[in-house]
Amino acid sequence: MKQLLFALILSAAPALAQQAALTADDLSRLKAADVVLLGEVHDNPTHHEMQAQIVQDVAPAALVIEMLGQADATTLAANPAAFAERWAQTGWHDFQMYLPIFQAHEGPIIGAAVPRDVARATYADGVTAHFQGDAAAYGLTDALPEDQRSQRTELQFQTHCEAMPREMMGGMIEVQRLRDATLAAGVVQAVADTDGLVVVITGNGHARKDWGAPAYLARVAPDLDVITVGQGEDGVPPEGGFDIVLDAPAPDRPDPCEQFK
């Protein structure tokens, strides 16, 4: 989900030390993995520069991206530079920030987006009604632990600027679960298709280890070596747990809650 862009610290759990760039040991670790999830804050150009550099360095067999469905992803892979007009229609941030990532990759791109109409239906119907896979295997038929549901409710409430009652957050959590599981399913497909390293381009919220896509991969593909890279801003790390945490300056951006004032 495209989340409003500000940090919310929900726990006092210690975070890994943040760094501005990968070390040689980090890079070796990524190259040896089966799956690397590269988190981002969607409008931060430095985050995308880092993702492009990592993609170039590790040369994955496939990319999985949260931004597009498969038809668009196939078109993008065929000619990234020609995709700008279609990208603009999706509502995602400036294509020029993402283009170097796609140009650094030679190979298939797996689109793992949840269509907007499906996301809207999931808000009302729940995740199991719309996941295109084995919902039970992915744990989607299980109720969330109460402490996690409470934390996620508060996160959604704050992310949406406290503009809606907490009672409305349940549907948003269901959509988030669908997006995370769909990303994980895209990874499983990419690994099966290529039998090589898969890199995932996604927001920090989907890359977090505790309840993002890695949590679903741990259920359905526990033998995969999965490495998560989170990217923070101005010394504030992303929440949720990552194997490597990078830091970059935050871009100038308007107050995301101004529209609700």
Side-chain angles (χ1 to χ4, degrees):
M1 176 184 296
K2 298 181 196 177
Q3 297 178 349
L4 297 176
L5 302 168
F6 57 90
L8 175 67
I9 305 301
L10 290 174
S11 73
L16 290 175
Q18 295 183 95
Q19 55 200 63
L22 294 177
T23 66
D25 286 344
D26 291 333
L27 189 57
S28 295
R29 187 180 180 191
L30 297 185
K31 289 180 178 179
D34 297 311
V35 180
V36 174
L37 291 98
L38 300 179
E40 65 182 52
V41 176
H42 296 312
D43 71 340
N44 191 312
T46 306
H47 288 183
H48 299 305
E49 291 169 8
M50 178 59 68
Q51 290 170 325
Q53 186 62 56
I54 293 172
V55 169
Q56 179 174 306
D57 289 342
V58 305
L63 286 182
V64 175
I65 62 174
E66 73 157 296
M67 298 85 188
L68 301 173
Q70 188 55 57
D72 278 337
T74 301
T75 302
L76 169 66
N79 189 351
F83 198 76
E85 183 175 349
R86 171 60 188 140
W87 182 275
Q89 295 172 2
T90 69
W92 280 92
H93 292 279
D94 186 1
F95 183 61
Q96 295 306 311
M97 292 193 296
Y98 286 89
L99 179 59
I101 302 169
F102 306 134
Q103 291 179 322
H105 172 62
E106 295 183 4
I109 298 178
I110 306 300
V114 173
R116 291 177 183 174
D117 60 336
V118 174
R120 286 193 295 268
T122 301
Y123 186 94
D125 301 339
V127 62
T128 58
H130 296 284
F131 179 62
Q132 300 298 306
D134 187 338
Y138 279 77
L140 297 174
T141 57
D142 300 335
L144 291 177
E146 187 55 39
D147 59 342
Q148 183 187 135
R149 176 165 290 279
S150 176
Q151 187 179 1
R152 294 178 75 148
T153 296
E154 190 63 23
L155 175 60
Q156 290 292 340
F157 181 65
Q158 297 294 337
T159 297
H160 290 84
C161 302
E162 304 181 12
M164 293 177 284
R166 287 181 174 84
E167 290 74 18
M168 293 183 64
M169 301 302 108
M172 295 178 184
I173 294 170
E174 289 295 283
V175 174
Q176 191 76 359
R177 294 177 76 192
L178 177 62
R179 294 186 191 281
D180 289 332
T182 299
L183 269 175
V187 170
V188 172
Q189 174 190 335
V191 170
D193 289 348
T194 66
D195 194 29
L197 172 61
V198 173
V199 167
V200 183
I201 303 297
T202 189
N204 285 322
H206 294 303
R208 59 189 293 166
K209 293 176 69 175
D210 55 356
W211 67 55
Y216 294 98
L217 288 172
R219 291 184 63 103
V220 299
D223 293 335
L224 291 178
D225 180 15
V226 178
I227 305 296
T228 62
V229 180
Q231 298 198 75
E233 294 184 322
D234 294 341
V236 179
E239 285 294 305
F242 295 87
D243 297 300
I244 299 169
V245 179
L246 303 174
D247 188 55
D252 290 335
R253 57 171 68 102
D255 179 0
C257 295
E258 185 64 33
Q259 61 182 313
F260 296 108
K261 294 180 180 177

